[in-house]
Each structure stands twice: as structure tokens, then as C-alpha cells.
Amino acid sequence: MSHTKQTSGQSTGGAASIEGLAQQAVDTAMERGAEYADARVVRLARETLTVHNGAVADAEAPDEFGVGLRVLKDGAFGFAAAPTTYSELADVLPGLARRAIASARDLAPLRRRPISMVGKADARGDYATPVVENPFMVPLEEKVDLLLRADRAMSGRREIVSRLATMAIQREEQWQVTSEGGSTHQVLMRSGGRIEALASAGGVVERRSYPNALEGEFRGGGYEVIRALQLDTHAERIRDEAIALCHADVCPGGKKTLILGGSQLALQIHESVGHPTELDRILGEERDLAGGSFAGLQDLGALQYGSKHVSFVADSTAKGGLDTRGWDDDGIPSRSFEVVREGKLMGLMGGRASSGRAGFAESGSVSRAEGWYSPPIDRITNLSLVPGEGSLEDLIASSEDGTIFADTVKTWSIDQERRNFQFTCEVAWEIRGGRRSRLLRLPTYQGNSVDFWNSCDAVTGPQEWKLHGVVNCGKGNPMQIAEMSHGASPARFRGVQMLDMGRP
């Protein structure tokens, strides 16, 4: 499978030479007895800008370059990595082959069963994130000015005690060569940002964020993503809502009908569907740090994960997704597949090794590594709730009095098996007469993952659907951070347990 290369700024010079050097590292590992080898050379450039209370508080632009080599020897993986420069790459690679082979030999006696990988990493080609405006070419003054305008729009009220406006961009260029004939080159770009206002009034402190509270809203793309957020346009509304929340009633407790906005649903999907359907968790390979899963291999095709209104699709080809690329870090082409179909569990997210261990015929193309310094592991890819029908206003109008509409996460927790959870949102409204009525603070709900998704009786339509980015998903030992997106449109859930956070 090949991908047409699309304009995303200029790639690092010497691409052909880098691929040739990576091929030499793979060849060296194979000559030393490896059963399989792949080399990934990565250049990662980032830029982060933050304005806090009217002043630039953070301005960083790190740029790193390194290489990682993974081998399979005696049924065990070995891995070695090193930071380097283009001019020193040739000197670094031979040593990596020796170290990776040695680590595999050391680990082989400890393995329970030999690693067996499904599929073949023989793809060749180029892929680049479609970009309209290269964010690294936008003048720094223009970026700072946008954040300062947003900051000023959140000021002017004495109740506001803290203001934050931030944006971040990232460009990852990767060359990968495998011993199975694969040779790929990718340029992946993402951009995003957020604003936040913290208010204090009457002994109450509340926060409002836009577009969300999880470090911001990010999409694959260039500066056009940041422009589309219109941070300065939404700043005054966020300021006023933060103040209003300080005077709002606490959301009442009890069994309620709950409508969740897309931003909140994105995190709900991530925690209660994404992580439980990662194959390595199900196989017990993450229990030492990130935990396991309540789901098992025997549940495929059998577990009623949700109601008939609930379907989820994993898609590493989704337009604008944070895990949208040509190939995963196993070298397997991106793909789309069903995880849940009309409530029934149909698929799991696994890479070449975990899929081989589980007896699957193919990889889900979900193996990813953080930077050049980590080996690939199973990660949640872009995972989205399939939209239903109707608008949000239609859904609200058809809901009984006392229904709660909540959005934007504030705090959350979920157990190690991903069964039981509790979420508190930044904001909620009570539904009366088919409309949003009084503003409520601290809306907090809890539940069991399977019971919760089975309580869904409506999902709004494509016109309400939006892709939301997660940039801080931690997993692995040592810890790796990965990014992915979750598409959702607002949905309604019946009989959800709400907690009264105003009671002592």
C-alpha cells in the first residue's frame, strides 16, 4: 500500500541517505542473527506558546533527532535507541544493532512464549498530513498577538483570578525500514490550543475552558486549525460562564436522564471503550502499570457492550485525526474497522505481536511509539461513536423535565479494569420545557462501562458530530505518551446515577 505525498512543508534533507542508513542497520541486525528487524529515524519539532494573566509565560521550541532499532531474536524483542544528528547517524547505527540483539538474547529466556507477528511490513511509500498553512512559518508575533487578544477578552471582571491562553504545534518526520522489504517516509503535523478562565466569587472557585480542558483541542493539520478555533472570539463567553458558575446551584443527585456533549463524550469513549479494547491490556501485558480490561477474547461477537444505538469505529485514516497516518510503527498500513456494532463487541485494537498472540489473522495497525526512543506498543487509535439522527436541540426538546445536559470534563477516575468510573464536568444545564434552563455546577455522574453504554437511547446526527483530540494518553513501562482523536455527537443516557456534590 502506498500513499500520495501531500504538501506539509519541506522534509528534512537527505531522505534517501537516511533510508539507506536505516537499511544498513536492519541488514546488520539480520546478519547478527535477528529473525526480524525494523529501524525508525525520527525528527520531532515542537512549538508551545502560553500567555498567563497578560504576559507570555512559556515559549518553547524543542527539536530532536534520533533513531530506534527493534529486533526479534529467539522469539523475543530487543530494542536500542540513541539521539543523534544527520551527520552522525552512520556512526550510531552499528552499535544499536549490537545492543538490540544483546537485549533480545537477555530477554529470550524470560519469555513465556515466542513472539509471533501477523501480517507483513513490506509497504513502501510516502505520506504527509494535509496542511493548508504551515504553522512553523506563521510569524511568532502573530501567534502571540492572538493569545494576548484572547487573554484581554477574558479580563475586565474582578471575579476572574486567572486567565490562560495557549497554543501548540508539532511536526514529526519519520523514516522506517523493515527486514521484510518495507520502506516508508511520513510527515505528520498537528496543531491546536485552548483558553481557560478561573473565577472566584462568594467563596466558590470555578473554571471554564474552551474548546476543552484536556490541554486544548488538537487536529491533524496546520495553523488553519488554530485559526478555526477563534480563541479570542469565545474568550468573553468563557469568562462570563466561569463567573456565572460561581453563583450557580450544585447539580442535584439521584437517578437522572443525562445528555453528554461531544467534548465530554470524547473522554468517556477514551476511558470506557478505548482502553478496555486495547488487545495488550486484555492479554495481561499492561497490568503492572496501566491496568487490564474487563473484556476478554471470549467476548468478541458476544458481549453486549452498549445499546442498539451504540457503534464505534477505529479509523487511522480519519480526516484530521491525531492518529491519522500512512502506517503504524509496525509498518502496517492504516485501516478502519468496527469495534462495536449496534452494541455488540466486534473488534479489538491490537498490533502485529498482540494480534499474533491472540490468534487473529491481521493487525489493527495500532502499534505506536513515543518518539525515536521507545519501542512500539498497542495504543488506542482514532476511535469514534457513529452518529445517529437529529440535532442536539431536537434531543433536548424530546427529553423530560429534570434531564441534565453536561459537557467539558473537570475531573475523573476509573478503575484498573475499566469497569467503574466517575466524571465531574465543568458545566451543566437543567432541561425544563424542552429547553436548557438553570445553569448548574459540579455535575458528577458515575457508572459501570457496559451498563452506561447500554443505557444510551439516542445519539444525535452527523451535523452535530465532531472529532476531539487527546494529546496526553499515558501507557507503558517506561511511560509513553500518545495522541489520538475521538469523534462524537451528543448522546442521551437513561437512569444515570448523579451525585450531589453540595452535600457534606
Side-chain angles (χ1 to χ4, degrees), residues 304-326:
Q304 194 66 33
Y305 208 112
S307 72
K308 66 179 182 179
H309 304 280
V310 173
S311 295
F312 293 101
V313 173
D315 186 2
S316 51
T317 71
K319 182 180 179 181
L322 294 182
D323 187 33
T324 297
R325 25 71 182 176

Side-chain angles (χ1 to χ4, degrees), residues 405-425:
F405 171 51
D407 203 8
T408 313
V409 72
K410 188 181 182 80
T411 63
W412 76 96
S413 63
I414 190 166
D415 68 32
Q416 290 289 77
E417 298 298 314
R418 303 284 150 168
R419 284 190 179 90
N420 303 303
F421 60 79
Q422 179 171 308
F423 288 89
T424 299
C425 299

Side-chain angles (χ1 to χ4, degrees), residues 342-364:
E342 296 181 353
K344 193 80 71 176
L345 180 64
M346 302 301 296
L348 301 171
M349 291 180 285
R352 293 186 73 189
S354 60
S355 295
R357 179 179 167 189
F360 295 169
E362 59 182 344
S363 164

Side-chain angles (χ1 to χ4, degrees), residues 186-415:
Q186 307 192 75
V187 179
L188 308 177
M189 188 93 76
R190 60 92 161 148
S191 307
R194 75 180 176 107
I195 56 175
E196 173 188 296
L198 195 69
S200 176
V204 175
V205 176
E206 288 291 345
R207 178 189 73 198
R208 273 302 273 138
S209 307
Y210 169 82
N212 64 47
L214 292 176
E215 299 191 24
E217 188 66 274
F218 289 84
R219 287 178 62 89
Y223 198 70
E224 68 276 5
V225 175
I226 295 173
R227 291 192 191 279
L229 292 176
Q230 299 182 309
L231 298 176
D232 52 342
T233 301
H234 290 271
E236 187 173 328
R237 173 180 64 85
I238 290 303
R239 176 200 67 189
D240 293 344
E241 287 183 2
I243 296 170
L245 280 172
C246 293
H247 303 284
D249 293 333
V250 173
C251 186
K255 294 279 188 178
K256 301 282 185 180
T257 296
L258 175 66
I259 297 174
L260 291 181
S263 173
Q264 175 61 27
L265 268 177
L267 186 61
Q268 182 76 55
I269 292 167
H270 184 87
E271 300 293 353
S272 63
V273 184
H275 281 309
T277 57
E278 288 175 307
L279 187 51
D280 59 349
R281 283 178 178 270
I282 290 172
L283 297 175
E285 296 170 1
E286 273 293 312
R287 293 186 182 278
D288 65 328
L289 182 67
S293 172
F294 63 82
L297 296 179
Q298 73 281 359
D299 291 321
L300 277 173
L303 177 63
Q304 194 66 33
Y305 208 112
S307 72
K308 66 179 182 179
H309 304 280
V310 173
S311 295
F312 293 101
V313 173
D315 186 2
S316 51
T317 71
K319 182 180 179 181
L322 294 182
D323 187 33
T324 297
R325 25 71 182 176
W327 305 268
D328 73 353
D329 290 341
D330 278 344
I332 299 299
S334 299
R335 56 173 297 209
S336 173
F337 60 94
E338 291 179 303
V339 174
V340 174
R341 180 197 304 156
E342 296 181 353
K344 193 80 71 176
L345 180 64
M346 302 301 296
L348 301 171
M349 291 180 285
R352 293 186 73 189
S354 60
S355 295
R357 179 179 167 189
F360 295 169
E362 59 182 344
S363 164
S365 184
V366 302
S367 287
R368 285 187 289 155
E370 181 183 5
W372 50 266
Y373 40 81
S374 305
I377 59 175
D378 291 357
R379 301 308 302 249
I380 305 171
T381 185
N382 303 321
L383 179 68
S384 298
L385 177 65
V386 176
E389 298 179 349
S391 69
L392 173 59
E393 294 311 311
D394 290 339
L395 186 65
I396 290 174
S398 67
S399 299
E400 71 274 14
D401 287 355
T403 295
I404 302 298
F405 171 51
D407 203 8
T408 313
V409 72
K410 188 181 182 80
T411 63
W412 76 96
S413 63
I414 190 166
D415 68 32

